[in-house]
Each structure stands twice: as structure tokens, then as C-alpha cells.
Amino acid sequence: AMIPIRSGVEENGRAVAEFLQDHPRIERVLYPGLPSHPHYQLARRTMRGYGGLVTFMVKDADDRQTAAVVDALRIPRIGPSLGGVESLVEQPIHMSYHDFTPEARRAIGIPDNMIRLACGIENTEDLIADLKQALER
């Protein structure tokens, strides 16, 4: 029987999601391991883990203020990803959805203040401290 290996990606995802959920500059966090996620019960029934992808919205931030948070991060590199050993961060309106009109993005739930963070295996406290400094600028 194979023994599942915990990579640290999921632990980082969960810790980052919990940190962001309680941060005053964050409007909303989407992470299937949080009870606040609309599909939390489904995730609990069907998933063995919740992964490292954390999506969050910066409270009262426009496109540029959101980009400033992304740019202030030191650990994650900017790039679209579903996960790897290094943390990657992106602002979906500038990467995955750059060719959509603002109306089309809003219609599918991609607001200007959305950030996607694919957590890697870096030290959890370092990742959280990095997010903290970026949000508190």
C-alpha cells in the first residue's frame, strides 16, 4: 500500500486561508477547506485534502490597489498555476481573464480585487508574514 505524502502545499493553503479569513483588509476568501466556502460540505464528502490554491478579494480595492498587494509580495512569483513547489500569485483580471471585458468578468464572478495564490512548500510562517506585510502597506 502506498503511504500518502503530505507535501506542505495543503498545510500552507489551509493556514493562509485561515489567516486571510481573519484579516481586516480581506473581503472574502475562497478555499474549499473553509466552512465559509459555498461547496464546503461537498468538498468534505468528496476530497481527501483541499490543496494549496487560495482565492481572495481585497476589501474596497480597485484593480490598481489589488495589483499593489500582488507586487508587494516577496515570496510568491507572479504567474498562473495550479500548484507546484514554489508559491505563485496572480491577479486573474490581468492573466487568466485579460481578454474578457470587465462586464464579462463580473458576470462569471471574477472581480477586479481578486487574487489567486497557489501555495508552494515554503515555510508557512514566512508565507503568512509576507502576506501580512503586503496587506499592511
Side-chain angles (χ1 to χ4, degrees):
M2 287 187 55
I3 297 166
I5 296 169
R6 288 260 183 236
S7 67
V9 167
E10 184 178 348
E11 286 83 352
N12 280 344
R14 181 186 303 268
V16 162
E18 288 171 354
F19 163 75
L20 290 169
Q21 179 173 251
D22 296 330
H23 197 284
R25 275 206 71 202
I26 299 303
E27 173 189 312
R28 184 170 188 209
V29 179
L30 290 169
Y31 181 74
L34 289 179
S36 59
H37 192 281
H39 303 298
Y40 172 70
Q41 290 302 335
L42 177 66
R44 277 189 61 184
R45 283 197 315 273
T46 60
M47 297 171 80
R48 280 187 296 183
Y50 304 111
L53 185 65
V54 182
T55 301
F56 58 99
M57 283 59 127
V58 183
K59 193 181 285 176
D60 301 324
D62 63 17
D63 162 24
R64 291 180 63 184
Q65 291 162 323
T66 303
V69 173
V70 171
D71 290 343
L73 290 166
R74 297 181 185 127
I75 294 174
R77 288 198 235 142
I78 294 175
S81 169
L82 291 175
V85 291
E86 311 100 357
S87 291
L88 293 170
V89 67
E90 65 142 341
Q91 190 176 358
I93 68 163
H94 292 307
M95 298 197 93
S96 333
Y97 297 91
H98 67 90
D99 54 351
F100 284 60
T101 65
E103 298 74 33
R105 286 193 302 260
R106 275 193 291 277
I108 57 170
I110 308 292
D112 289 359
N113 66 339
M114 177 183 278
I115 294 174
R116 273 207 180 125
L117 176 64
C119 294
I121 60 170
E122 297 90 353
N123 178 279
T124 307
E125 288 75 23
D126 290 348
L127 263 180
I128 288 173
D130 192 25
L131 281 159
K132 190 169 164 44
Q133 68 80 25
L135 289 165
E136 291 171 7
R137 280 175 173 237

